[in-house]
Every structure is written in structure tokens, then in C-alpha cells.
Amino acid sequence: MEYNELATKKPFIVNKNLGSALEVEPEELTTTNADGLPIILPTQKQKYDFDRKGWLLVPDVLSEQEISEIQTFCKEIKNNDPDITEPQICGLEGPMQKLADHPVVVGLLNEFLAYPPTASEECYGFRLEKSDVQLGFKKVEKHKDKENNAGNGLFRLPGDSHIYRCVPGRAWSGLTRIIWELSEVNTKSNDIRFITASHKSAYVVPQTIHNNNTQMWETYDCPPGSLILLTESITQKYVTISTDQNVDRLRITNLYNTIASRWCNWLPSPKLIDSMPPKRQSLFRETFAGGNVVKGHFGDRTSPYPINI
């Protein structure tokens, strides 16, 4: 006897009710970015790989012209003020700003982070928590390895933000990082390390993780213009990279969160926000869920739940 193939139809979600099927799909949320470009949805394999591993590499997202434009902009900032420190540089300045809601980024975050009732064609269903730039145009100084994020995202309490949830057919990453690598990266020059699948781990990490050479730690290599999606609920850390040469490294890191949660108090300058297109400005609206949607209908048109229950 042949068995029917099992197929996931609609995830079952519990809201202010006894539960119902999810009715709004990611492709039905914000369909264009602030520049009017259509959102690029992740493939089934990309969704599977991110949920399975806790991180996803999307190579060659940017064109050579886009990469060159951002590299030139950052080098001019550095050359004009050699004493500038990285915290003074925001990853939303100049041509870097368009990376915050790049079509690939919005597609990934609509799938793994957005809260449908707070999304419309005028605003995103997620917010930008922080934006950093790493300029590696000088010798890398030795520094103490940063402490680990412990992982175990399935078991974090609400309010932690370092949380990961999943039901058959849908996964959700509470605090999610997008890393843009604007220079070539290899496993020897990359200072980030993570333990694949530790976002779903039910056990405390073993003592062996304190050894940087253990095979549990992984990293990535990629060409310029690549994007890395990383859930903050994965076990991760930064390590010391020792070199006697100048490192031509440019990395932009954007951290995203749900519209109803906030992990840190960072905000770009009001002047910078005012210069953005209205839809991009929605990444920085106030942190609450109820009714926090621009020209949408909270609990109605953008609700993931049936109107009549």
C-alpha cells in the first residue's frame, strides 16, 4: 500500500483564542522596500537551512558597483578623520543605508521575524535594533575574546529577546542579526565563531567550548557583497585574530527585533531618521504591538488569524 506524502498546510497558532490556522503568509506582508524594489523571498532550502543551523550564508547579494560605492564611502570617512572610532560610524550613513531594508533582508525577516499585525505596505513588521560598522583598515589589535551567547533559544523566557520558536511549517527568531561582508572573508581572517544548531539545544554547553580550537566552533568564508543571517539565540563569540599586516576589512552589522520588544537603547540621530524614506523610518517607530501599524488595520487586514473565530 502506498502511503500519502505528509505535507504541512497551515501552522496552528494560539493568539487571544484557543488557536487557529495561520492565514497570512510572509509574501503577503510588506511586498516592496523603501526604494520601491520588490521583496526577494527566501527559497525553501534557505528556510530549512536557517532553521536547521541557526545561521545562513547568502553569497554575492550585492553587485560590484554597490560594493565599490560603499567601500569608497567608508574609506573617505576614515581618511578624512584617522582618529575616528567605529562606534561613531553608523551603518545607516550614505550608501550603507539601503542595506537596512534590502529586498533580500526584508524577505528573510518577513519569514523569520515580522509580526503580521504590525506590517503593511507602508511599514515593516519588525524594527532595527542597532547598526554597527567594522572598519579594518588598520592593524588588528589583540583583544580579549568576548563572552559567549549561551544559545538554548527554544527555552529562553519571553522578554529575553534571545529567543527562538518554531511550529511545523514556521520558525521565528526573536533577535536576529544581518551581517554584510563588504570585503573577502576566509576562515582564518574571520573573527566570529558559532556552534551550529545550538539555538535549539536542550543541554548546557560543555566545558570544551572554552577551547577555541575545538571542532564545535564554526565560521564562514565568503566573497564581498555577501549576507549572513544569524539568530542571536545561537551560541557564538568573537575571537582574537592576530596579524602583523593591515586588514582591509569592512563589515556592516544590523540587529533586528520584533516591533514589540527592545534589547538596547540605541537609535540613529533624529536628523538621519528624518532623511530616510517613510517606510525605512518605520524601522525606528515606538516599541509596542497594539495598533502600531502605518496605514494598516491591526487585527484585520494584516492579522495572521481569521476574522471570525
Side-chain angles (χ1 to χ4, degrees):
M1 181 179 69
E2 294 184 2
Y3 291 91
N4 292 329
E5 182 180 354
L6 293 176
T8 300
K9 297 298 183 182
K10 295 286 186 179
F12 190 81
I13 305 293
V14 176
N15 193 23
K16 296 178 181 178
N17 50 43
L18 296 179
S20 61
L22 187 70
E23 290 208 334
V24 173
E25 298 296 330
E27 56 268 26
E28 299 175 84
L29 301 181
T30 319
T31 59
T32 60
N33 72 352
D35 298 318
L37 300 174
I39 301 310
I40 299 175
L41 298 173
T43 66
Q44 190 64 30
K45 185 177 186 306
Q46 287 174 329
K47 292 187 287 187
Y48 179 81
D49 283 345
F50 177 70
D51 178 56
R52 174 176 62 90
K53 300 190 300 181
W55 63 279
L56 175 71
L57 170 64
V58 186
D60 299 314
V61 176
L62 302 179
S63 67
E64 291 185 3
Q65 180 178 350
E66 291 173 315
I67 296 169
S68 177
E69 184 181 12
I70 296 173
Q71 288 176 336
T72 301
F73 179 81
C74 291
K75 287 180 180 179
E76 288 178 352
I77 292 178
K78 192 66 176 177
N79 292 336
N80 290 337
D81 188 357
D83 296 326
I84 194 170
T85 59
E86 288 172 11
Q88 294 175 292
I89 306 174
C90 173
L92 300 170
E93 297 178 12
M96 295 184 286
Q97 185 184 122
K98 63 185 178 182
L99 301 183
D101 58 349
H102 187 280
V104 173
V105 170
V106 178
L108 290 168
L109 296 181
N110 276 356
E111 177 68 40
F112 294 113
L113 179 60
Y115 181 46
T118 59
S120 74
E121 289 301 340
E122 274 70 38
C123 65
Y124 300 115
F126 49 85
R127 54 180 299 274
L128 182 56
E129 184 87 9
K130 192 176 182 182
S131 183
D132 295 309
V133 179
Q134 177 183 337
L135 291 172
F137 302 122
K138 61 180 180 180
K139 178 181 176 181
V140 176
E141 303 292 341
K142 290 186 177 181
H143 61 275
K144 183 179 180 180
D145 294 352
K146 293 184 178 180
E147 295 182 359
N148 308 323
N149 276 357
N152 311 103
L154 281 178
F155 307 99
R156 299 295 184 98
L157 293 174
D160 187 321
S161 288
H162 297 75
I163 196 171
Y164 194 87
R165 294 291 184 263
C166 53
V167 296
R170 188 57 48 86
W172 188 81
S173 173
L175 198 59
T176 308
R177 194 178 348 160
I178 297 285
I179 301 173
W180 290 95
E181 298 288 4
L182 277 301
S183 53
E184 186 172 356
V185 179
N186 57 56
T187 53
K188 291 183 178 180
S189 65
N190 203 343
D191 59 349
I192 187 172
R193 299 288 185 273
F194 41 76
I195 299 179
T196 292
S198 56
H199 62 307
K200 293 184 175 181
S201 176
Y203 294 93
V204 177
V205 291
Q207 289 297 316
T208 53
I209 70 161
H210 297 299
N211 179 1
N212 289 340
N213 296 322
T214 179
Q215 293 183 352
M216 295 179 66
W217 291 112
E218 298 182 52
T219 190
Y220 56 84
D221 54 62
C222 63
S226 298
L227 174 157
I228 294 85
L229 175 69
L230 188 75
T231 175
E232 287 294 281
S233 62
I234 198 172
T235 303
Q236 58 183 285
K237 67 176 179 179
Y238 285 89
V239 300
T240 300
I241 302 296
S242 299
T243 179
D244 294 327
Q245 299 177 351
N246 290 335
V247 178
D248 188 13
R249 184 69 179 274
L250 176 56
R251 170 192 284 164
I252 299 167
T253 302
N254 291 327
L255 186 64
Y256 299 85
N257 206 341
T258 178
I259 192 65
S261 180
R262 192 165 186 170
W263 181 251
C264 62
N265 63 357
W266 181 91
L267 274 176
S269 69
K271 184 177 179 180
L272 181 56
I273 295 178
D274 289 342
S275 70
M276 298 178 182
K279 189 178 292 188
R280 191 168 293 149
Q281 291 184 27
S282 75
L283 290 171
F284 307 100
R285 63 194 193 272
E286 292 185 32
T287 309
F288 62 91
N292 194 2
V293 55
V294 180
K295 294 185 179 179
H297 305 279
F298 183 83
D300 187 359
R301 180 168 66 87
T302 56
S303 175
Y305 314 103
I307 298 175
N308 299 317
I309 299 177

